[in-house]
Short mmCIF file of all heavy atoms in Angstrom, two decimals:
data_model
loop_
_atom_site.label_atom_id
_atom_site.label_comp_id
_atom_site.label_asym_id
_atom_site.label_seq_id
_atom_site.Cartn_x
_atom_site.Cartn_y
_atom_site.Cartn_z
N ASN A 885 0.83 -1.17 0.00
CA ASN A 885 0.04 -0.03 -0.01
C ASN A 885 0.96 1.20 -0.01
O ASN A 885 0.72 2.17 0.86
CB ASN A 885 -0.92 -0.04 1.17
CG ASN A 885 -2.13 0.94 1.01
OD1 ASN A 885 -2.36 1.41 -0.09
ND2 ASN A 885 -2.78 1.28 2.14
N LEU A 886 1.80 1.36 -0.99
CA LEU A 886 2.68 2.50 -1.09
C LEU A 886 1.92 3.74 -1.47
O LEU A 886 0.91 3.71 -2.23
CB LEU A 886 3.75 2.19 -2.18
CG LEU A 886 4.72 1.15 -1.94
CD1 LEU A 886 5.68 0.98 -3.15
CD2 LEU A 886 5.51 1.33 -0.68
N ARG A 887 2.39 4.93 -0.92
CA ARG A 887 1.78 6.15 -1.28
C ARG A 887 1.92 6.44 -2.80
O ARG A 887 1.02 7.09 -3.36
CB ARG A 887 2.42 7.31 -0.56
CG ARG A 887 2.10 7.30 0.95
CD ARG A 887 2.67 8.45 1.71
NE ARG A 887 2.65 8.21 3.08
CZ ARG A 887 3.60 8.59 3.95
NH1 ARG A 887 4.62 9.27 3.51
NH2 ARG A 887 3.50 8.32 5.23
N SER A 888 3.03 5.99 -3.40
CA SER A 888 3.28 6.26 -4.81
C SER A 888 2.49 5.31 -5.71
O SER A 888 2.56 5.41 -6.90
CB SER A 888 4.70 6.13 -5.09
OG SER A 888 5.19 4.78 -4.84
N GLY A 889 1.73 4.29 -5.17
CA GLY A 889 0.94 3.41 -6.00
C GLY A 889 1.58 2.04 -6.05
O GLY A 889 1.95 1.49 -5.06
N ALA A 890 1.62 1.56 -7.28
CA ALA A 890 2.05 0.14 -7.55
C ALA A 890 3.53 -0.01 -7.20
O ALA A 890 4.33 0.82 -7.32
CB ALA A 890 1.87 -0.22 -8.98
N VAL A 891 3.82 -1.27 -6.76
CA VAL A 891 5.27 -1.67 -6.52
C VAL A 891 5.83 -2.03 -7.86
O VAL A 891 5.30 -2.94 -8.52
CB VAL A 891 5.38 -2.79 -5.56
CG1 VAL A 891 6.77 -3.32 -5.45
CG2 VAL A 891 4.85 -2.39 -4.19
N ASN A 892 6.88 -1.36 -8.32
CA ASN A 892 7.47 -1.68 -9.57
C ASN A 892 8.76 -2.41 -9.40
O ASN A 892 9.24 -3.11 -10.41
CB ASN A 892 7.79 -0.33 -10.36
CG ASN A 892 6.53 0.38 -10.69
OD1 ASN A 892 5.49 -0.23 -10.98
ND2 ASN A 892 6.57 1.67 -10.73
N ARG A 893 9.43 -2.29 -8.27
CA ARG A 893 10.75 -2.96 -8.07
C ARG A 893 10.79 -3.47 -6.68
O ARG A 893 10.14 -3.00 -5.75
CB ARG A 893 11.88 -1.97 -8.32
CG ARG A 893 12.00 -1.47 -9.69
CD ARG A 893 13.11 -0.44 -9.81
NE ARG A 893 12.73 0.73 -9.14
CZ ARG A 893 13.53 1.59 -8.52
NH1 ARG A 893 14.82 1.35 -8.53
NH2 ARG A 893 13.09 2.69 -7.99
N LEU A 894 11.58 -4.48 -6.50
CA LEU A 894 11.97 -4.98 -5.21
C LEU A 894 13.50 -4.90 -5.00
O LEU A 894 14.17 -5.38 -5.91
CB LEU A 894 11.46 -6.48 -4.98
CG LEU A 894 11.56 -7.02 -3.58
CD1 LEU A 894 10.61 -6.23 -2.62
CD2 LEU A 894 11.13 -8.46 -3.63
N CYS A 895 13.96 -4.27 -3.98
CA CYS A 895 15.39 -4.11 -3.80
C CYS A 895 15.90 -4.74 -2.54
O CYS A 895 15.09 -4.85 -1.53
CB CYS A 895 15.71 -2.54 -3.77
SG CYS A 895 15.34 -1.73 -5.26
N ARG A 896 17.15 -5.06 -2.57
CA ARG A 896 17.75 -5.49 -1.27
C ARG A 896 18.07 -4.32 -0.45
O ARG A 896 17.89 -3.16 -0.90
CB ARG A 896 19.07 -6.22 -1.64
CG ARG A 896 18.84 -7.51 -2.35
CD ARG A 896 20.25 -8.24 -2.65
NE ARG A 896 19.93 -9.34 -3.52
CZ ARG A 896 19.94 -9.31 -4.88
NH1 ARG A 896 20.02 -8.17 -5.51
NH2 ARG A 896 19.68 -10.42 -5.52
N LEU A 897 18.45 -4.46 0.81
CA LEU A 897 18.62 -3.36 1.72
C LEU A 897 19.77 -2.39 1.27
O LEU A 897 19.80 -1.25 1.62
CB LEU A 897 18.92 -3.86 3.18
CG LEU A 897 17.68 -4.52 3.83
CD1 LEU A 897 18.05 -4.95 5.29
CD2 LEU A 897 16.50 -3.62 3.83
N ASP A 898 20.75 -2.96 0.46
CA ASP A 898 21.81 -2.10 -0.01
C ASP A 898 21.34 -1.33 -1.28
O ASP A 898 22.13 -0.55 -1.82
CB ASP A 898 23.03 -2.91 -0.31
CG ASP A 898 22.82 -3.95 -1.44
OD1 ASP A 898 21.74 -4.01 -2.04
OD2 ASP A 898 23.82 -4.66 -1.71
N GLY A 899 20.12 -1.57 -1.76
CA GLY A 899 19.61 -0.79 -2.90
C GLY A 899 19.70 -1.48 -4.31
O GLY A 899 19.18 -1.12 -5.25
N THR A 900 20.40 -2.71 -4.26
CA THR A 900 20.44 -3.40 -5.55
C THR A 900 19.15 -4.05 -5.85
O THR A 900 18.42 -4.55 -5.01
CB THR A 900 21.54 -4.52 -5.50
OG1 THR A 900 21.24 -5.43 -4.47
CG2 THR A 900 22.89 -3.98 -5.38
N GLN A 901 18.73 -3.99 -7.05
CA GLN A 901 17.40 -4.46 -7.52
C GLN A 901 17.40 -5.92 -7.74
O GLN A 901 18.32 -6.54 -8.24
CB GLN A 901 17.03 -3.82 -8.87
CG GLN A 901 15.65 -4.07 -9.29
CD GLN A 901 15.22 -3.24 -10.51
OE1 GLN A 901 15.76 -2.17 -10.70
NE2 GLN A 901 14.29 -3.73 -11.26
N VAL A 902 16.30 -6.62 -7.25
CA VAL A 902 16.06 -8.06 -7.49
C VAL A 902 15.32 -8.15 -8.84
O VAL A 902 14.35 -7.44 -9.03
CB VAL A 902 15.21 -8.62 -6.32
CG1 VAL A 902 14.98 -10.12 -6.60
CG2 VAL A 902 15.90 -8.45 -4.97
N SER A 903 15.83 -9.04 -9.65
CA SER A 903 15.24 -9.13 -11.00
C SER A 903 14.30 -10.33 -11.20
O SER A 903 13.60 -10.43 -12.19
CB SER A 903 16.33 -9.12 -12.06
OG SER A 903 17.17 -10.27 -11.80
N GLY A 904 14.25 -11.24 -10.20
CA GLY A 904 13.38 -12.36 -10.40
C GLY A 904 13.12 -13.12 -9.06
O GLY A 904 13.95 -12.99 -8.16
N GLY A 905 12.10 -13.92 -8.95
CA GLY A 905 11.75 -14.63 -7.82
C GLY A 905 12.85 -15.68 -7.33
O GLY A 905 13.02 -15.91 -6.16
N GLU A 906 13.61 -16.15 -8.28
CA GLU A 906 14.66 -17.11 -7.90
C GLU A 906 15.79 -16.50 -7.21
O GLU A 906 16.64 -17.17 -6.61
CB GLU A 906 15.22 -17.85 -9.20
CG GLU A 906 15.87 -16.93 -10.16
CD GLU A 906 14.97 -16.11 -11.10
OE1 GLU A 906 13.80 -16.42 -11.07
OE2 GLU A 906 15.46 -15.21 -11.77
N GLU A 907 15.91 -15.14 -7.15
CA GLU A 907 16.95 -14.45 -6.35
C GLU A 907 16.58 -14.24 -4.91
O GLU A 907 17.42 -13.84 -4.10
CB GLU A 907 17.26 -13.07 -6.98
CG GLU A 907 17.85 -13.22 -8.41
CD GLU A 907 18.18 -11.80 -8.92
OE1 GLU A 907 18.39 -10.80 -8.16
OE2 GLU A 907 18.19 -11.73 -10.17
N LEU A 908 15.32 -14.49 -4.55
CA LEU A 908 14.88 -14.25 -3.17
C LEU A 908 15.45 -15.29 -2.27
O LEU A 908 15.51 -16.49 -2.61
CB LEU A 908 13.34 -14.20 -3.14
CG LEU A 908 12.67 -13.13 -3.99
CD1 LEU A 908 11.14 -13.26 -3.93
CD2 LEU A 908 13.05 -11.71 -3.53
N VAL A 909 15.76 -14.85 -1.02
CA VAL A 909 16.37 -15.80 -0.08
C VAL A 909 15.45 -15.81 1.19
O VAL A 909 15.03 -14.78 1.69
CB VAL A 909 17.81 -15.34 0.34
CG1 VAL A 909 18.37 -16.22 1.42
CG2 VAL A 909 18.69 -15.21 -0.93
N ASN A 910 15.14 -17.07 1.57
CA ASN A 910 14.31 -17.23 2.71
C ASN A 910 14.86 -16.52 3.91
O ASN A 910 16.02 -16.60 4.30
CB ASN A 910 14.22 -18.71 3.06
CG ASN A 910 13.23 -19.07 4.15
OD1 ASN A 910 12.27 -18.36 4.37
ND2 ASN A 910 13.50 -20.13 4.81
N GLY A 911 13.96 -15.68 4.59
CA GLY A 911 14.30 -14.94 5.82
C GLY A 911 14.96 -13.57 5.54
O GLY A 911 15.17 -12.87 6.56
N ASP A 912 15.29 -13.33 4.31
CA ASP A 912 15.92 -12.00 4.04
C ASP A 912 14.89 -10.83 4.00
O ASP A 912 13.74 -11.06 3.97
CB ASP A 912 16.70 -12.02 2.75
CG ASP A 912 18.16 -12.57 2.89
OD1 ASP A 912 18.49 -13.01 3.96
OD2 ASP A 912 18.85 -12.54 1.92
N TYR A 913 15.50 -9.57 4.08
CA TYR A 913 14.70 -8.38 4.11
C TYR A 913 14.89 -7.68 2.79
O TYR A 913 15.96 -7.57 2.24
CB TYR A 913 15.17 -7.49 5.27
CG TYR A 913 14.74 -8.11 6.58
CD1 TYR A 913 15.52 -9.04 7.19
CD2 TYR A 913 13.61 -7.56 7.28
CE1 TYR A 913 15.12 -9.56 8.46
CE2 TYR A 913 13.20 -8.08 8.54
CZ TYR A 913 13.92 -9.07 9.04
OH TYR A 913 13.56 -9.59 10.25
N TYR A 914 13.80 -7.08 2.30
CA TYR A 914 13.77 -6.34 1.02
C TYR A 914 12.98 -5.10 1.15
O TYR A 914 12.28 -4.90 2.16
CB TYR A 914 13.12 -7.23 -0.08
CG TYR A 914 13.89 -8.50 -0.32
CD1 TYR A 914 13.54 -9.68 0.40
CD2 TYR A 914 14.99 -8.63 -1.14
CE1 TYR A 914 14.33 -10.89 0.21
CE2 TYR A 914 15.72 -9.73 -1.32
CZ TYR A 914 15.38 -10.90 -0.67
OH TYR A 914 16.03 -11.98 -0.86
N VAL A 915 13.06 -4.21 0.17
CA VAL A 915 12.35 -2.92 0.18
C VAL A 915 11.47 -2.85 -1.11
O VAL A 915 12.00 -3.04 -2.22
CB VAL A 915 13.34 -1.70 0.21
CG1 VAL A 915 12.54 -0.39 0.22
CG2 VAL A 915 14.24 -1.82 1.41
N ALA A 916 10.21 -2.63 -0.87
CA ALA A 916 9.26 -2.43 -2.04
C ALA A 916 9.34 -1.03 -2.50
O ALA A 916 9.19 -0.10 -1.71
CB ALA A 916 7.78 -2.74 -1.57
N VAL A 917 9.54 -0.85 -3.89
CA VAL A 917 9.82 0.47 -4.36
C VAL A 917 8.78 0.72 -5.57
O VAL A 917 8.61 -0.20 -6.34
CB VAL A 917 11.22 0.65 -4.95
CG1 VAL A 917 11.46 2.05 -5.52
CG2 VAL A 917 12.21 0.32 -3.86
N GLY A 918 8.23 1.86 -5.55
CA GLY A 918 7.23 2.25 -6.62
C GLY A 918 7.98 3.01 -7.78
O GLY A 918 9.08 2.59 -8.12
N ASN A 919 7.41 4.08 -8.25
CA ASN A 919 7.98 4.91 -9.30
C ASN A 919 9.16 5.74 -8.82
O ASN A 919 10.00 6.19 -9.66
CB ASN A 919 6.95 5.80 -9.96
CG ASN A 919 5.91 5.03 -10.75
OD1 ASN A 919 6.28 3.99 -11.36
ND2 ASN A 919 4.72 5.46 -10.75
N GLU A 920 9.24 6.06 -7.56
CA GLU A 920 10.24 6.86 -6.98
C GLU A 920 11.62 6.11 -6.93
O GLU A 920 11.74 4.92 -7.14
CB GLU A 920 9.83 7.39 -5.61
CG GLU A 920 9.94 6.32 -4.49
CD GLU A 920 8.75 5.40 -4.47
OE1 GLU A 920 7.79 5.45 -5.22
OE2 GLU A 920 8.83 4.47 -3.51
N GLU A 921 12.67 6.88 -6.63
CA GLU A 921 14.00 6.30 -6.40
C GLU A 921 14.04 5.49 -5.13
O GLU A 921 13.32 5.85 -4.18
CB GLU A 921 15.02 7.41 -6.35
CG GLU A 921 15.30 8.12 -7.65
CD GLU A 921 16.00 7.20 -8.68
OE1 GLU A 921 16.91 6.49 -8.31
OE2 GLU A 921 15.50 7.27 -9.88
N TYR A 922 14.91 4.54 -5.07
CA TYR A 922 15.13 3.75 -3.78
C TYR A 922 15.74 4.75 -2.74
O TYR A 922 16.63 5.49 -3.07
CB TYR A 922 16.15 2.62 -4.03
CG TYR A 922 16.60 1.99 -2.78
CD1 TYR A 922 15.80 1.09 -2.06
CD2 TYR A 922 17.85 2.28 -2.24
CE1 TYR A 922 16.26 0.54 -0.88
CE2 TYR A 922 18.32 1.72 -1.09
CZ TYR A 922 17.52 0.83 -0.36
OH TYR A 922 17.97 0.30 0.75
N LYS A 923 15.15 4.72 -1.58
CA LYS A 923 15.64 5.60 -0.51
C LYS A 923 16.47 4.77 0.43
O LYS A 923 15.96 3.92 1.19
CB LYS A 923 14.48 6.23 0.16
CG LYS A 923 13.73 7.18 -0.73
CD LYS A 923 12.51 7.75 -0.12
CE LYS A 923 11.86 8.66 -1.12
NZ LYS A 923 10.48 8.92 -0.75
N LYS A 924 17.82 5.03 0.45
CA LYS A 924 18.69 4.36 1.35
C LYS A 924 18.58 4.78 2.73
O LYS A 924 19.06 5.90 3.08
CB LYS A 924 20.13 4.43 0.79
CG LYS A 924 21.05 3.56 1.57
CD LYS A 924 22.47 3.57 0.96
CE LYS A 924 23.43 2.80 1.80
NZ LYS A 924 23.76 1.52 1.31
N LEU A 925 17.89 4.04 3.60
CA LEU A 925 17.62 4.46 4.97
C LEU A 925 17.94 3.29 5.87
O LEU A 925 17.99 2.09 5.33
CB LEU A 925 16.13 4.87 5.12
CG LEU A 925 15.63 6.03 4.40
CD1 LEU A 925 14.17 6.23 4.40
CD2 LEU A 925 16.37 7.30 4.84
N PRO A 926 18.17 3.47 7.13
CA PRO A 926 18.45 2.37 8.10
C PRO A 926 17.21 1.58 8.41
O PRO A 926 16.85 1.47 9.66
CB PRO A 926 19.12 3.07 9.24
CG PRO A 926 18.48 4.40 9.27
CD PRO A 926 18.28 4.75 7.89
N TYR A 927 16.55 0.98 7.46
CA TYR A 927 15.29 0.24 7.71
C TYR A 927 15.40 -0.77 8.80
O TYR A 927 14.70 -0.81 9.85
CB TYR A 927 14.76 -0.39 6.43
CG TYR A 927 14.45 0.54 5.27
CD1 TYR A 927 15.36 0.65 4.28
CD2 TYR A 927 13.31 1.26 5.29
CE1 TYR A 927 15.06 1.47 3.18
CE2 TYR A 927 12.97 2.11 4.27
CZ TYR A 927 13.93 2.25 3.22
OH TYR A 927 13.59 3.04 2.17
N PHE A 928 16.42 -1.63 8.56
CA PHE A 928 16.56 -2.77 9.51
C PHE A 928 16.89 -2.32 10.85
O PHE A 928 16.29 -2.81 11.86
CB PHE A 928 17.64 -3.72 8.93
CG PHE A 928 17.84 -5.00 9.72
CD1 PHE A 928 16.95 -6.05 9.37
CD2 PHE A 928 18.73 -5.17 10.63
CE1 PHE A 928 17.06 -7.25 10.10
CE2 PHE A 928 18.84 -6.35 11.38
CZ PHE A 928 18.02 -7.39 11.10
N GLU A 929 17.87 -1.40 11.03
CA GLU A 929 18.26 -0.99 12.34
C GLU A 929 17.22 -0.32 13.09
O GLU A 929 17.17 -0.40 14.35
CB GLU A 929 19.53 0.01 12.20
CG GLU A 929 20.77 -0.65 11.63
CD GLU A 929 20.75 -0.83 10.11
OE1 GLU A 929 19.78 -0.33 9.46
OE2 GLU A 929 21.69 -1.55 9.57
N LEU A 930 16.35 0.41 12.42
CA LEU A 930 15.28 1.16 13.14
C LEU A 930 14.01 0.46 13.33
O LEU A 930 13.25 0.72 14.29
CB LEU A 930 14.98 2.49 12.38
CG LEU A 930 16.14 3.46 12.33
CD1 LEU A 930 15.73 4.75 11.51
CD2 LEU A 930 16.48 3.95 13.76
#
C-alpha cells in the first residue's frame, strides 16, 4: 500500500534491484519500491 501506488521494483537493503523470484532468499529483508527512487535508509536498524 505504497503512497506512490504500484510496486514496480523489489530491492535488497543495499539498494540493488532483485530481478526475479529465484533471487529471493528465505528470511531476508527487502524494500518495495514504486515509481520513486530507492531511498537508502536504516530500515533494518530502526
Side-chain angles (χ1 to χ4, degrees):
N885 198 19
L886 296 178
R887 291 183 194 144
S888 63
V891 173
N892 295 327
R893 295 177 290 150
L894 190 63
C895 296
R896 293 178 186 88
L897 293 180
D898 65 2
T900 58
Q901 186 172 336
V902 177
S903 59
E906 64 280 350
E907 294 181 28
L908 299 175
V909 177
N910 185 28
D912 273 6
Y913 290 80
Y914 299 91
V915 180
V917 181
N919 290 328
E920 73 280 0
E921 291 290 319
Y922 168 81
K923 296 176 181 164
K924 188 173 173 104
L925 299 171
Y927 298 103
F928 188 82
E929 293 80 5
L930 294 177

